[in-house]
Amino acid sequence: MTIIVHHLENSRSQRVLWLLEELGLPYEVRRYQRDKATMLAPPELRRIHPLGKSPVIEREGRVVAETGAIIEYLVELADGRLGPPAHRDDTLRYRHFLHYAEGSLMPPLLVKLVLGRVPVLGKVAQKRFQPMIDVHLDYVEAELAQRPWFAGREFTAADVMMSFPLEAAVARAAATEGRRHIADWLARIHARPAYRAALERGGPYAYA
């Protein structure tokens, strides 16, 4: 059955489109645009889910929200493809980065974005906040120096999950300056045919 993806421009939902392309699952995209003044999601999304956020998917009458939960659900639908690797250590890394992306890496990046919209004092606070982000980016760089993909030797859904925060970090926190392994990883995911196909389906995406 076709999966409906409620896709907001320049958002986390781009990862869902990418994973669907990687897994070869049938899907339909319903696009939403941000409010030009506030950059928030439109109220129409609240008709799909009470939080009014994206991504949200629908399948067989079920509504699934939150990127991590959606990714786990899609991996299950695809019989575990791109899911936890067989090796125990790789499995633990897979789970770690699946949750680390939104639980640890994304929050400071979001705070920096918000601070950037505060006149005068926000700019000063941004500079003081950058070292906190650098701790995370240096950690990610060190991890990618040890293996080509986040879980190990093979590409997995953990890489899909890590894409948005790292793409956002390039724009907001100079993520690739002096971090060649992050830069190389980003170049490799952007070259994947499924990634490019997802961009065509989803429309403009400022972070690619």
Side-chain angles (χ1 to χ4, degrees):
M1 179 173 285
T2 298
I3 297 161
I4 299 172
V5 182
H6 296 277
H7 172 59
L8 180 65
E9 63 179 342
N10 293 326
S11 77
R12 293 162 166 84
S13 58
Q14 188 64 40
R15 290 179 292 193
V16 175
L17 304 184
W18 177 23
L19 182 60
L20 284 163
E21 289 288 343
E22 292 281 0
L23 296 173
L25 296 174
Y27 70 98
E28 170 191 336
V29 181
R30 295 188 184 171
R31 296 185 190 179
Y32 300 80
Q33 293 186 331
R34 296 179 181 274
D35 182 281
K36 299 300 181 185
T38 66
M39 296 306 293
L40 297 176
E44 291 89 338
L45 273 170
R46 290 195 181 92
R47 298 172 191 163
I48 311 303
H49 189 277
L51 292 178
K53 302 292 185 181
S54 179
V56 176
I57 67 169
E58 291 183 83
R59 180 179 181 273
E60 295 182 335
R62 294 186 180 90
V63 174
V64 184
E66 294 295 334
T67 313
I70 292 170
I71 283 181
E72 289 190 286
Y73 177 64
L74 296 179
V75 166
E76 288 175 5
L77 287 180
D79 298 322
R81 281 187 292 125
L82 299 186
H87 191 278
R88 179 62 176 169
D89 289 340
D90 290 353
T91 296
L92 291 174
R93 276 192 293 267
Y94 171 90
R95 289 175 180 163
H96 169 74
F97 285 108
L98 203 67
H99 295 279
Y100 169 81
E102 291 292 336
S104 294
L105 180 55
M106 198 62 212
L109 291 168
L110 180 59
V111 171
K112 188 172 184 183
L113 176 66
V114 172
L115 289 174
R117 295 176 180 173
V118 178
V120 186
L121 292 178
K123 299 294 183 183
V124 175
Q126 268 192 325
K127 292 180 180 178
R128 294 183 177 179
F129 205 78
Q130 182 64 40
M132 302 179 194
I133 297 174
D134 287 335
V135 169
H136 286 283
L137 295 176
D138 290 342
Y139 164 68
V140 170
E141 174 73 4
E143 288 294 305
L144 288 174
Q146 299 177 56
R147 60 192 71 87
W149 302 105
F150 278 102
R153 303 300 302 177
E154 303 295 329
F155 173 83
T156 68
D159 295 284
V160 175
M161 193 66 185
M162 285 292 291
S163 62
F164 183 76
L166 286 178
E167 288 171 331
V170 172
R172 302 174 193 174
T176 54
E177 290 186 13
R179 300 183 182 94
R180 65 181 181 86
H181 293 99
I182 291 178
D184 174 69
W185 180 86
L186 286 167
R188 284 186 284 118
I189 67 167
H190 292 164
R192 293 180 73 88
Y195 186 98
R196 297 197 299 272
L199 288 179
E200 292 178 9
R201 294 288 299 272
Y205 178 61
Y207 299 116

